[in-house]
Amino acid sequence: MYSTCIFCQKPLGANEAIEQFPVGKRLVFDEARGRLWVVCRRCERWNLTPLDTRWEAIEECERAFHAARLRTSTDNIGLAKAPDGLDLIRIGKPLRPEFAAWRYGDQFGRRRRRTYMIGGGVILAFGAVAATSIGSLGGLWGNLPNIIRAMHSVNVKTHDGRVLKIRGAAFSQAKLTADNGTPTLRLKHKRREEVFEGEEAVRVVATLLPAVNFAGASQKTVDAAVKTLAHHGGSEGYLESLWAGKADALTKTTRKGVIKPVPLASLKGTAPITIEMALHEEQERRAIAGELHVLETAWKDAEEIAAIADDMFVPDETEALIQKMKREVNDPNTPT
């Protein structure tokens, strides 16, 4: 039984309430459609389970949900808390936009709140230093997104079996393009350019985007992204448009009329979370259509990667940025 998040390779935790599926601290189940997800409390992504025992687990989730005392619900979605602290979310028959808005609003909202907490901690940590100069406080606030992003890293497995630790500083250089309809991702890793194409590019981008979108999004932004997907007929239509170059989300035009790719960390508007949502849903669509081996492989890769690397660190780039801000505080005339 898999116990690691497909996306961030962190442990999903355990529960004692569901004997048939003792994995995870938040389970989402849809009895009518036979779907069971484990929500990673670290990256907030939904891990669709490809297990053969899911029907028994779903039935047990249904019984536990109705037995729980603490419960809030609408006509379509309900939340209950089991005695051991397990969150159970029961999906009824919501319309797709309603389900997507609820699902991703919760996901991106949690990221947003966590980012505020981390940002507040960074400000407090440097409060004594920043208090000596108003200018330094402004510089700290301006660099805050870069500091938090640099604290992340993502482990990805290549088609030839290598495990790459992609640091947060590389997100600003990672560029996704669609060359003749083929997704292509280029990024720097240890002073070497790594190139991923086709399905591998899609898989790696889907792994990177939760870290790129660490700051989450407001419900208004999530609703706009959901509408974009609906306009294209869902994730499949949106991605087809993206790879065909019909969407301008991945490029920008310079004043001289030159079209250049936009780094993942610099995607504008709703594009970054729309792409993340579309890639996530497309993976599930394929799995539900019968390609469960894709999920089996993803879970196994996640378990393997988790055994050899951790996805959080304080990189050299972060320390260098901190030291730079300290120098600016001591000497406001220090060149940038």
Side-chain angles (χ1 to χ4, degrees):
M1 184 174 291
Y2 305 114
S3 60
T4 301
C5 177
I6 294 175
F7 307 98
C8 71
Q9 293 93 45
K10 281 297 183 181
L12 292 168
N15 71 79
E16 298 178 356
I18 308 300
E19 183 178 354
Q20 294 290 339
F21 196 82
V23 177
K25 301 299 292 184
R26 170 171 279 203
L27 301 181
V28 183
F29 65 100
D30 184 337
E31 187 176 30
R33 299 180 181 179
R35 299 176 191 175
L36 176 66
W37 296 268
V38 186
V39 180
C40 174
R41 306 310 282 158
R42 178 65 174 275
C43 70
E44 304 301 339
R45 296 294 291 269
W46 288 27
N47 293 261
L48 182 64
T49 63
L51 305 179
D52 294 335
T53 58
R54 63 187 180 277
W55 285 107
E56 290 80 3
I58 291 172
E59 291 176 359
E60 193 173 352
C61 285
E62 183 76 21
R63 291 194 297 270
F65 179 85
H66 287 288
R69 293 185 178 181
L70 299 177
R71 184 167 66 223
T72 59
S73 65
T74 65
D75 291 340
N76 300 315
I77 299 172
L79 169 64
K81 188 176 291 291
D84 71 338
L86 170 69
D87 286 337
L88 288 169
I89 298 172
R90 181 182 185 275
I91 304 300
K93 297 181 179 179
L95 297 175
R96 186 189 178 283
E98 177 190 356
F99 174 57
W102 178 87
R103 169 177 176 171
Y104 293 107
D106 177 69
Q107 184 178 132
F108 287 106
R110 285 178 176 274
R111 288 190 207 171
R112 195 182 194 198
R113 291 190 292 274
R114 183 181 295 123
T115 298
Y116 286 151
M117 293 176 63
I118 294 174
V122 172
I123 292 293
L124 289 174
F126 291 96
V129 177
T132 63
S133 170
I134 296 177
S136 68
L137 183 59
L140 175 62
W141 182 259
N143 280 312
L144 193 57
N146 293 328
I147 293 174
I148 299 176
R149 184 176 287 117
M151 293 171 64
H152 289 77
S153 71
V154 176
N155 302 309
V156 299
K157 187 176 181 180
T158 65
H159 70 280
D160 56 1
R162 292 177 297 142
V163 175
L164 308 181
K165 191 175 195 124
I166 309 302
R167 297 185 172 187
F171 298 162
S172 61
Q173 300 175 352
K175 296 178 181 178
L176 176 64
T177 59
D179 302 329
N180 298 321
T182 302
T184 303
L185 175 69
R186 292 180 171 83
L187 56 81
K188 291 288 183 65
H189 178 256
K190 294 184 176 180
R191 300 182 180 180
R192 170 183 172 181
E193 184 180 60
E194 297 283 348
V195 181
F196 306 91
E197 296 180 332
E199 289 294 326
E200 187 180 29
V202 172
R203 176 176 58 81
V204 174
V205 171
T207 303
L208 292 177
L209 278 176
V212 173
N213 296 330
F214 70 91
S218 66
Q219 186 64 56
K220 181 179 180 180
T221 302
V222 171
D223 290 343
V226 170
K227 289 181 180 178
T228 298
L229 292 180
H231 175 74
H232 287 84
S235 59
E236 187 177 12
Y238 176 78
L239 291 175
E240 286 180 356
S241 176
L242 197 67
W243 306 146
K246 297 178 181 179
D248 58 2
L250 302 179
T251 60
K252 66 177 179 179
T253 304
T254 66
R255 294 180 179 179
K256 295 183 179 180
V258 179
I259 299 177
K260 292 185 176 182
V262 178
L264 290 180
S266 301
L267 294 175
K268 302 297 183 182
T270 63
I273 67 167
T274 304
I275 296 174
E276 180 182 340
M277 290 162 58
L279 291 177
H280 193 174
E281 290 192 2
E282 179 62 12
Q283 181 192 50
E284 291 193 354
R285 185 191 68 79
R286 292 177 56 191
I288 294 168
E291 299 183 18
L292 288 179
H293 67 276
V294 174
L295 280 178
E296 292 280 0
T297 300
W299 280 84
K300 290 177 181 178
D301 285 348
E303 298 272 290
E304 179 182 340
I305 293 172
I308 58 178
D310 187 271
D311 80 332
M312 287 297 291
F313 73 110
V314 180
D316 295 339
E317 289 87 346
T318 304
E319 180 62 26
L321 187 57
I322 291 172
Q323 295 301 325
K324 176 175 178 285
M325 287 189 292
K326 287 183 177 179
R327 289 196 300 272
E328 290 176 350
V329 170
N330 295 328
D331 182 5
N333 296 318
T334 300
T336 59

